[in-house]
Each structure stands twice: as C-alpha cells, then as structure tokens.
Amino acid sequence: MPTYTAQLTTTASADEAFAYLAQFDNTQQWDPGVSSAHPLTDGPPALGSRYAVTVELGGGPEELIYEITEYDPPRRVVLVASGSKFVSHDEISVTPHDSGSAVAYVAELKLKGLWKVGGPFAGKALQQAGDAAVEGLARELARLGA
C-alpha cells in the first residue's frame, strides 16, 4: 500500500492550522495536483462532512469524495476518500510547537482493480505529488501565521 508521510512546522497556531486543514476544500489552494474542491455538506467541518476533490492524474482527472471519519479539534482529523482507481486514508495531526504548530500528514492509498498492478509506481508518484502539496501547504500556513 503506497504511503506518504510528511511533517512540517509553521508559525500558524495549532487552532489556525487545524481549522484551515479540516476545511478540506482548501486543498485547492495548497495542492497543485487538485484542480477543484468544494464542500458537499453545509456548515463548518465536522464528523461526516464531505468534500468533492478533483485531482489531476496521469490518465486525466479523478473525482474523489472525501469524508471526515474522525474529528478531534484542534488536534486530529481523518478523512477517507473513494474514487474509481483508489481509496485514500488521510490523517492530519496538529500540535502546538514553539510559537506556532507542527503538522503531521499521512496519506495511505489502496489501489483498486487493475490499478493494484501499478503499486510500486504509485508509491513514487504519491511521493512526488505529496512533496509538491506539502510545499504549498507550508506556504499557505505561513500566510496564516504572518
């Protein structure tokens, strides 16, 4: 199962970072692989909130429906996404750190059907996409903490 793990520190407070990350349609602002993102449920993020996120893959766009399956503000949010090619399990943890916060992001992909054959290649693609996303996330969180 391809897995991506990243950690970063930011000047954004834990509350600011968590609120920004839990509002998962914000991924369009920080993840260059996301072409569109919008909420499917009304109100602020909560257990059961859903988001439609379109990612650009080598074979074209893939719409994923993310759902918050665990919600422990301002510390941890877990989202599970399902698409036609894979299921993604994303865990985001935020802790206070110095004058800001530390963010840990873990994404695990479970490939579906014939896509399972590409597992070794998917890991490399996930690493590249994840690194670009974390770079964008660090930039956006720095703006929050400025």
Side-chain angles (χ1 to χ4, degrees), residues 28-138:
Q28 188 174 357
Q29 297 171 3
W30 54 266
D31 187 339
V34 173
S35 60
S36 70
H38 62 274
L40 297 174
T41 50
D42 293 328
L47 188 63
S49 292
R50 298 174 69 222
Y51 302 88
V53 177
T54 302
V55 296
E56 297 299 323
L57 301 173
E62 169 87 5
E63 183 176 69
L64 302 169
I65 305 301
Y66 277 87
E67 181 173 344
I68 295 178
T69 59
E70 296 180 44
Y71 191 67
D72 182 19
R75 293 179 285 281
R76 185 171 172 268
V77 61
V78 176
L79 299 104
V80 175
S82 186
S84 64
K85 298 175 179 119
F86 60 89
V87 173
S88 181
H89 181 272
D90 296 39
E91 181 176 339
I92 304 165
S93 300
V94 181
T95 55
H97 178 67
D98 294 335
S99 61
S101 60
V103 176
Y105 198 114
V106 178
E108 294 179 345
L109 296 185
K110 182 177 180 184
L111 302 172
K112 294 181 175 180
L114 293 175
W115 291 95
K116 290 179 185 178
V117 175
F121 303 107
K124 184 175 181 181
L126 178 60
Q127 183 70 39
Q128 291 172 337
D131 287 348
V134 167
E135 184 178 312
L137 179 57

